[in-house]
Amino acid sequence: MSDFSSTARSLNNGVRRDPRNEWIARNRLHPLHDSVMSARQGEVRGPSGLLRKNPHIIGFIGPNGIKRIDRANLSSTELNSKKRTSEAQETLLPLHIVENPDGYIMVVADMVGGRLTRHDKDILGLAHQLATEKAAVAVVLVCFGENKETQFDLAGVDRLIHLAGQEFNGFAPEARLAALEQIETQFYPDYWLFPDSVNGGADLASRLAARLGERPATQAWQVNGTQTICRGASSSVDISRATPRILMLLEECADAIDRTRHQVLPLALDVNVNTKQRLFDQGQIAVDSNAVPLAEAEFILSAGNGIHNWDQFHAAAAALGATEGASRVAVDDGFMPRSRQVGASGTWVTARVYVAVGISGAIQHMQGIGQCDKVVAINTDAGCDMVKRADLAVIADSEEILAELTRLAQQHASLASLEEKSDAA
Amino acid sequence: MQPNVNVISLVSVGRHPQSGRARRAEQDGRAVELGLKLAGKNLTVVHAGNPQEPVLRQYAGMGLSSLTVLEQAQGCDALPALVSFLTENSVNIVLTGVRSENGESSGMLPYLLADQLNWPLVPRVADIVSVSAESAEVLLALPRGQRRSVIVTLPFIASVDNAAQEARQTAFGPGLRADFHVLAMDTVVDEAAHQWKITAAKPRPKRLKVVKAKTAADRMKAATAKPVGSGGKIMKNETPEEKAKAIFDLLLEEKVVR
């Protein structure tokens, strides 16, 4: 009885099967197969009236005749260029707005090479953690000298004081201290945050603390509004203390800002630096670049399998004043000592500029140069990994490029010495 | 070098990084070495603290005939004693380490001294090249093995970096035979430091690499993909001169070629 009633209901509901269409859909060789399948794309009801999904429609036939399902949406990202996607992400980030701030947190950045270092970004992140504990506090970045940074907004800078004058360039702690004192009197910030680094952050912070008569927290690594934990006694003890106004912070003291955009409004500062100068900067002096340890060298010229003229390579490194590095192949073949090897089994380098000559970029080598800022590749193979990683890639034979670079470097050096002579005269 | 230049090296008690035992501090040893290079036998070495400390004999064993100790109890501030000592004696150059290996090790002492005496300070000195009557030429140790030349007016304070000449070996016997001039000083107890809670250093948590990928495929890609730069410039069909010029311009812009 029940069997009867259910069939009767299905008949009443009026879902009707088309046996011919079903037969065409099953037969892929039928001339009407495509049109029937595309007509079914929308909503397909099964014989009992249930909504049916056809799993065979998903995907496409790949070049080898194998069915592929594109779950990662790779084909659409390849169509758009990388720059466009990053722009889209930037516009997505919400803007953090501080209007009419009651207080300021000053972050004095190292800006090695004119850009924010990772250490600086961590400290900006910490500044925002401290800023959330009070209402309407703006994080102000104070930087000196040249500025090549383009992403202040993404690093968490609400306000910017950029002191670009000639007197702040190079080694100028007196002028910088005078400017910081000016900031202190004009804004009276809630906190002064400095990187505890050898790049000048610790030096400037100590000078300011001594001048203001405040006792700073040095090597601080855990900070909130009330308590600070610092390292002491050559990093063997932790000191918990009340948070002072001047803090020198270790690396990784907080996470960098990555979810918000910030305003980067310039703050006006009337600078008049008229200190009696007692330190006179004579400029950096040339050092033997190959005596610098590879791990901390600033500029590395690295050689790989693509080098055939080794005398020319050494001459080029000497002319440019670069520290020499090598890939594993060059070391295994005996052209360079093992201590010069860059990569996973050699040295992990931190150079600001890394020039890879004739290195195609094995993954072990790419790991070793992970921390380098600018990578330049000179290679004959345009498709190699090093060219993909590089900021500037030159597709050419290494020999003629190195010859030309050596000539340019010598020309530059002779010009500089001529200028010096004319200055002296 | 210049017999009429008075050089003082300030020394402290160090801490061995592995065993934690008291030792001659690394940078203070270098400060004494630099002082011996500048002043030879006329170098004055000063310590503020306990005169019975056996580590001071290690400094004396570097060839010093005598050593001055400003006597202080544990936990006292060395600054007032040193300031009064430096103002009473005519001094041209004061050498210290960058950071002490014990206590707070804030590295503030040379800065506070310089501020109170109103002298210039040169941080992280690798060498003092020459000293004249009014000024001295100093080499600063910059990161990445670079050096900067700075001229500073006398008198000044310099903190000595690890890049300076290594301290010479100490001799045990001469160290024991050296005279100690112990001066009694007014001591000021460091009150603020008594409020602090000092514990053994906790290992710092390692930063986790957080992948903010939405899908599993993105996470897989983040874990396995080779590092790819953000779309660099590729030069293919230019002449070798243009290519080399582009590289050289980049090196000049980054200021690695000077």
Side-chain angles (χ1 to χ4, degrees), chain A residues 360-424:
Chain A
S360 57
I363 185 72
Q364 290 86 352
H365 195 85
M366 303 307 263
Q367 285 166 354
I369 62 168
Q371 291 190 46
C372 297
D373 287 344
K374 291 270 174 198
V375 176
V376 179
I378 303 174
N379 213 308
T380 47
D381 175 13
C384 67
D385 287 334
M386 186 60 85
V387 170
K388 285 177 194 157
R389 163 76 167 82
D391 300 279
L392 172 64
V394 164
I395 312 301
D397 185 48
S398 64
E399 203 157 335
E400 51 191 7
I401 299 288
L402 281 184
E404 192 63 27
L405 272 178
T406 315
R407 194 184 63 76
L408 281 172
Q410 284 162 352
Q411 197 181 337
H412 182 78
S414 62
L415 273 179
S417 66
L418 268 182
E419 265 175 33
E420 233 168 61
K421 268 181 200 162
S422 65
D423 280 354

Side-chain angles (χ1 to χ4, degrees), chain A residues 127-289:
Chain A
H128 278 281
Q129 282 181 18
L130 290 171
T132 50
E133 294 178 14
K134 296 180 181 178
V137 173
V139 173
V140 187
L141 185 86
V142 182
C143 59
F144 298 98
E146 64 159 357
N147 168 18
K148 290 186 208 154
E149 181 65 51
T150 52
Q151 298 200 315
F152 279 133
D153 53 342
L154 297 179
V157 180
D158 294 326
R159 302 284 188 275
L160 180 69
I161 297 177
H162 180 212
L163 299 159
Q166 194 62 43
E167 66 272 25
F168 299 115
N169 279 343
F171 179 72
E174 291 165 323
R176 291 181 181 201
L177 177 64
L180 293 188
E181 276 186 273
Q182 199 108 36
I183 293 172
E184 168 78 13
T185 50
Q186 196 170 332
F187 297 105
Y188 196 74
D190 295 341
Y191 296 106
W192 281 99
L193 307 184
F194 291 84
D196 197 336
S197 69
V198 291
N199 294 313
D203 177 49
L204 200 52
S206 306
R207 283 176 198 273
L208 183 71
R211 182 61 55 85
L212 300 182
E214 305 248 1
R215 190 162 188 166
T218 56
Q219 306 184 68
W221 61 278
Q222 226 175 56
V223 181
N224 58 30
T226 52
Q227 203 193 33
T228 298
I229 301 183
C230 324
R231 284 277 146 95
S234 42
S235 299
S236 65
V237 297
D238 277 338
I239 302 172
S240 320
R241 52 190 286 188
T243 301
R245 264 186 76 222
I246 302 181
L247 289 146
M248 299 181 225
L249 298 146
L250 289 179
E251 255 176 296
E252 301 197 0
C253 53
D255 288 322
I257 295 290
D258 57 352
R259 274 153 219 267
T260 43
R261 268 181 316 131
H262 296 258
Q263 289 170 297
V264 204
L265 300 176
L267 269 190
L269 178 74
D270 20 299
V271 197
N272 46 343
V273 179
N274 299 319
T275 49
K276 190 181 149 223
Q277 201 179 0
R278 292 178 298 187
L279 297 167
F280 303 92
D281 185 8
Q282 303 294 301
Q284 267 179 259
I285 57 173
V287 293
D288 177 13
S289 51

Side-chain angles (χ1 to χ4, degrees), chain A residues 3 9 11 26 36 52 86-87 97 99 143 178 191 220 247 298 338-339 342 385 403 407 421:
Chain A
D3 213 2
R9 197 190 303 153
L11 282 173
R26 282 200 299 275
V36 167
R52 291 291 186 189
S86 67
E87 270 170 27
I97 296 174
E99 279 182 271
C143 59
Y191 296 106
L247 289 146
E298 190 172 31
R338 184 63 71 190
S339 58
V342 174
D385 287 334
R407 194 184 63 76
K421 268 181 200 162

Side-chain angles (χ1 to χ4, degrees), chain A residues 301 303-317 335-336 357 397-400 402-403 406:
Chain A
L301 187 71
N305 206 19
I307 295 274
H308 303 293
N309 188 346
W310 284 92
D311 293 337
Q312 187 201 28
F313 171 74
H314 294 307
F335 293 117
M336 294 285 272
V357 190
D397 185 48
S398 64
E399 203 157 335
E400 51 191 7
L402 281 184
T406 315

Side-chain angles (χ1 to χ4, degrees), chain B:
Chain B
M1 194 186 275
Q2 285 273 337
N4 55 348
V5 174
N6 289 326
V7 183
I8 284 192
S9 293
L10 305 181
V11 299
S12 65
V13 179
R15 178 189 178 279
H16 192 275
Q18 264 75 45
S19 67
R21 276 188 285 184
R23 66 158 184 181
R24 178 176 67 163
E26 189 77 26
Q27 290 166 342
D28 295 346
R30 286 170 202 259
V32 173
E33 181 67 46
L34 185 56
L36 285 172
K37 181 196 152 196
L38 288 178
K41 290 283 171 198
N42 298 323
L43 173 72
T44 316
V45 176
V46 177
H47 171 72
N50 177 13
Q52 309 302 323
E53 178 60 54
V55 171
L56 297 181
R57 298 283 170 190
Q58 292 184 19
Y59 290 107
M62 291 173 75
L64 309 174
S65 53
S66 71
L67 205 140
T68 310
V69 182
L70 314 178
E71 190 169 1
Q72 278 191 325
Q74 188 93 30
C76 287
D77 195 354
L79 183 71
L82 287 172
V83 169
S84 64
F85 181 82
L86 291 177
T87 43
E88 281 162 21
N89 298 275
S90 71
V91 182
N92 302 111
I93 301 175
V94 176
L95 302 171
T96 72
V98 175
R99 247 177 196 159
S100 76
E101 297 177 3
N102 265 320
E104 191 191 356
S105 67
S106 63
M108 283 297 291
L109 181 84
Y111 292 91
L112 293 168
L113 278 179
D115 195 63
Q116 299 216 351
L117 298 168
N118 197 19
W119 291 1
L121 178 133
V122 264
R124 296 191 171 268
V125 166
D127 201 2
I128 293 178
V129 182
S130 62
V131 182
S132 68
E134 301 93 41
S135 65
E137 191 189 347
V138 174
L139 280 190
L140 304 192
L142 303 185
R144 299 178 180 276
Q146 303 295 311
R147 297 282 184 273
R148 185 186 288 284
S149 171
V150 168
I151 288 179
V152 55
T153 55
L154 291 183
F156 70 95
I157 298 181
S159 63
V160 179
D161 190 82
N162 282 341
Q165 169 77 48
E166 204 176 340
R168 62 187 68 178
Q169 205 173 357
T170 71
F172 184 71
L176 284 188
R177 288 192 288 275
D179 300 330
F180 277 19
H181 303 304
V182 183
L183 304 176
M185 285 284 167
D186 300 336
T187 54
V188 181
V189 179
D190 189 356
E191 290 293 344
H194 281 285
Q195 313 290 325
W196 300 344
K197 208 177 83 191
I198 296 175
T199 52
K202 262 193 297 182
R204 291 181 62 188
K206 281 216 172 65
R207 175 171 282 179
L208 297 176
K209 195 181 165 196
V210 180
V211 179
K212 286 184 292 179
K214 292 279 193 314
T215 63
D218 285 348
R219 281 195 290 277
M220 183 67 183
K221 211 167 75 176
T224 56
K226 290 175 185 174
V228 174
S230 51
K233 186 180 167 198
I234 297 183
M235 302 181 79
K236 215 167 193 176
N237 298 323
E238 288 85 350
T239 61
E241 285 77 25
E242 284 169 351
K243 290 170 177 170
K245 187 86 182 93
I247 296 177
F248 198 72
D249 287 346
L250 185 138
L251 299 181
L252 284 179
E253 191 198 322
E254 292 294 325
K255 296 198 173 158
V256 287
V257 171
R258 283 183 278 277

